[in-house]
């Protein structure tokens, strides 16, 4: 049966690629992109687009009714580094947008929701290595607090109101089509741009800060996979741990030097170092593997070669 899908926050780093992938799979006219701003040319020219503020429940409801939407991907949020600067704005956006879609599903106006969480739900007291699915969390950032609260609400709406909401704790995401939107792992995208443009990069994290990361294609694959899985197979209704690779800035610099031998890196940690220090360095994603067959394709080496190849092409 034909279904109409709404992406909220479609013009961001993940939303752009998610929208294009869903349009390819389900047909351009069936995937409605929305955001508070316009996106890149490819996105804007490939299918329906609506300006929508995710915190405006009436506007959201109108769009749901107009397009007969049955699935929502809620990608709008304020990310970790920006949220530390605007705590209340971050809380309002991250929580109210989620309540708006959860309530629509509670009222049976949509059938299924995807809402992303993050490794930011973990905090300084969490075991750092192979962080388990269920463990001490205690996030210490505004963003992490909003994501953990969001997870609790997702599980609550599933249990109380039978809302089919599915979620993944994305690690830091690396991509070349869209720039990242104000997170603590943004260095792992900026470094490739600077390597090609200037041959050098001044990193805002220390050289030995190990963080969990993932190439965008894997993140999109996981998102589609969890949304297509049988509802009975989705045993975790808060959010699933998800992993692909872990590395430190020094490692990624070395992998770039394999392709650009003269590349140099310097380190000048700023306020984002404290955020990174509170997060895990690696993630145990065995539940996602067991429940819906998750497996990553990209490691650091093929992420680096894919990033450099594509960025070289678009910068030429
Ligand atoms: N990128 C990552 O590394 C990463 C990691 C973990 C989790 N996530 C989560 O994935 C989701 C998407 O992240 P992203 O990296 O694409 O973020 P992004 O900042 O690149 O994109 C967010 C989009 O939301 C839009 N937006 C902001 N306020 C809005 C509003 N009021 N109404 C509608 N749209 C609004 C922005 O214009 C932007 O296009 C977020 O929930 C984020 O927390 C991202």
């Amino acid at each position: 049966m034909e279904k109409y899908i709404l992406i909220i926050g479609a013009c961001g780093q993940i939303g752009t690629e998610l929208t294009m992938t869903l349009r390819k799979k389900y047909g351009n006219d069936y995937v409605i992109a929305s955001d508070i701003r316009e996106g890149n040319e490819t996105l804007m020219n490939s299918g329906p687009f609506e300006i929508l503020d995710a915190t405006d429940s009436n506007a959201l409801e109108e769009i749901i009714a107009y397009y007969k939407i049955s699935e929502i991907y809620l990608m709008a949020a304020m990310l970790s580094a920006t949220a530390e600067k605007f705590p209340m704005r971050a809380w309002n956006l991250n929580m109210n947008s989620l309540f708006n879609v959860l309530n629509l599903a509670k009222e049976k106006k949509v059938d299924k929701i995807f809402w992303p969480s993050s490794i930011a739900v973990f905090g300084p007291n969490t075991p750092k290595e192979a962080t388990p699915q269920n463990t001490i969390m205690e996030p210490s950032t505004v963003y992490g607090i909003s994501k953990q609260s969001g997870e609790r609400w997702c599980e609550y709406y599933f249990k109380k109101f039978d809302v089919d909401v599915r979620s993944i704790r994305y690690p830091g995401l690396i991509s070349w089509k869209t720039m990242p939107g104000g997170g603590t792992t943004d260095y792992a995208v900026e470094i490739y741009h600077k390597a090609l443009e200037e041959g050098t990069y001044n990193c805002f994290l220390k050289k030995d800060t190990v963080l969990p990361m993932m190439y965008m294609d894997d993140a999109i694959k996981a998102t589609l996979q969890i949304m297509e899985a049988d509802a009975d197979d989705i045993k975790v209704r808060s959010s699933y741990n998800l992993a692909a690779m872990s590395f430190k800035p020094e490692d990624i610099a070395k992998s770039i030097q394999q392709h650009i031998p003269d590349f140099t890196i310097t380190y000048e940690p700023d306020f984002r170092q404290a955020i990174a220090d509170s997060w895990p360095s690696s993630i145990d994603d065995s539940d996602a593997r067991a429940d819906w067959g998750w497996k990553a394709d990209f490691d650091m080496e093929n992420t680096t070669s894919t990033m450099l190849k594509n960025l070289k092409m678009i910068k030429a």
Side-chain angles (χ1 to χ4, degrees):
M1 217 183 79
E2 288 168 352
K3 63 177 174 190
Y4 287 87
I5 297 172
L6 176 68
I7 324 283
I8 304 174
C11 301
Q13 190 195 6
I14 308 174
T16 302
E17 298 205 30
L18 179 66
T19 304
M20 297 313 295
T21 308
L22 289 170
R23 282 186 171 161
K24 208 166 163 194
K25 190 174 168 73
Y26 294 107
N28 289 349
D29 294 341
Y30 294 94
V31 179
I32 290 72
S34 75
D35 204 292
I36 42 164
R37 60 178 173 112
E38 292 198 347
N40 69 24
E41 221 173 285
T42 322
L43 180 108
M44 298 303 291
N45 293 336
S46 60
F49 177 82
E50 294 282 345
I51 290 286
L52 171 68
D53 178 349
T55 61
D56 183 343
S57 59
N58 293 332
L60 172 61
E61 203 164 336
E62 272 173 32
I63 287 177
I64 296 295
Y66 181 77
Y67 287 100
K68 301 185 173 58
I69 300 292
S70 60
E71 272 181 29
I72 299 181
Y73 291 72
L74 173 56
M75 311 311 286
M78 194 182 287
L79 304 200
S80 58
T82 316
E84 289 304 298
K85 295 181 183 157
F86 307 105
M88 286 322 295
R89 268 172 54 192
W91 179 257
N92 287 336
L93 171 60
N94 296 3
M95 299 316 297
N96 291 335
S97 59
L98 177 59
F99 280 124
N100 287 344
V101 297
L102 286 175
N103 286 331
L104 281 172
K106 178 186 164 190
E107 292 159 17
K108 306 295 172 210
K109 291 178 176 158
V110 292
D111 301 332
K112 217 192 261 187
I113 296 166
F114 178 80
W115 172 80
S117 186
S118 158
I119 55 161
V121 291
F122 299 115
N125 296 324
T126 304
K128 260 197 168 336
E129 302 287 339
T131 301
Q133 175 69 42
N134 297 303
T135 184
I136 299 168
M137 298 174 90
E138 301 175 5
S140 56
T141 62
V142 173
Y143 176 69
I145 294 168
S146 76
K147 289 295 185 188
Q148 196 201 14
S149 308
E151 288 192 7
R152 297 288 88 229
W153 281 111
C154 287
E155 193 185 89
Y156 184 88
Y157 269 67
F158 168 72
K159 287 190 171 155
K160 278 264 174 183
F161 309 122
D162 201 23
V163 164
D164 189 358
V165 52
R166 302 168 183 213
S167 179
I168 284 168
R169 291 170 181 155
Y170 290 132
L173 298 183
I174 303 172
S175 69
W176 56 272
K177 289 183 186 157
T178 318
M179 288 303 282
T184 302
T185 52
D186 290 9
Y187 91 83
V189 176
E190 289 170 10
I191 193 168
Y192 293 110
H193 286 265
K194 292 285 182 191
L196 289 168
E197 287 162 9
E198 296 169 23
T200 185
Y201 179 62
N202 188 24
C203 184
F204 59 74
L205 295 182
K206 288 184 198 158
K207 64 179 178 182
D208 56 356
T209 309
V210 181
L211 288 170
M213 298 279 185
M214 181 175 283
Y215 185 59
M216 185 61 83
D217 289 19
D218 272 337
I220 301 291
K221 183 177 89 163
T223 307
L224 266 61
Q225 215 175 333
I226 193 175
M227 284 300 271
E228 283 163 9
D230 282 349
D232 291 346
D233 290 338
I234 308 299
K235 309 241 168 30
V236 175
R237 291 294 182 157
S238 51
S239 190
Y240 276 96
N241 274 7
L242 196 74
M245 55 184 140
S246 283
F247 58 74
K248 47 188 187 287
E250 199 178 27
D251 297 330
I252 194 170
K254 280 188 190 142
S255 84
I256 292 174
Q257 281 159 351
Q258 301 290 315
H259 301 261
I260 308 172
D262 293 340
F263 173 68
T264 56
I265 184 164
T266 51
Y267 301 93
E268 200 176 328
D270 66 14
F271 73 100
R272 288 169 281 194
Q273 184 65 46
I275 303 178
D277 287 342
S278 77
W279 289 353
S281 34
S282 63
I283 299 286
D284 177 350
D285 63 356
S286 40
D287 283 38
R289 289 166 181 270
D291 291 358
W292 43 275
W294 163 247
K295 190 176 171 296
D297 293 327
F298 283 80
D299 60 14
M300 192 183 67
E301 297 311 329
N302 50 29
T303 298
T304 291
S305 50
T306 310
M307 285 294 287
L308 290 176
K309 189 178 81 194
N310 286 293
L311 285 177
K312 230 182 248 172
M313 206 170 60
I314 58 169
K315 285 177 194 295

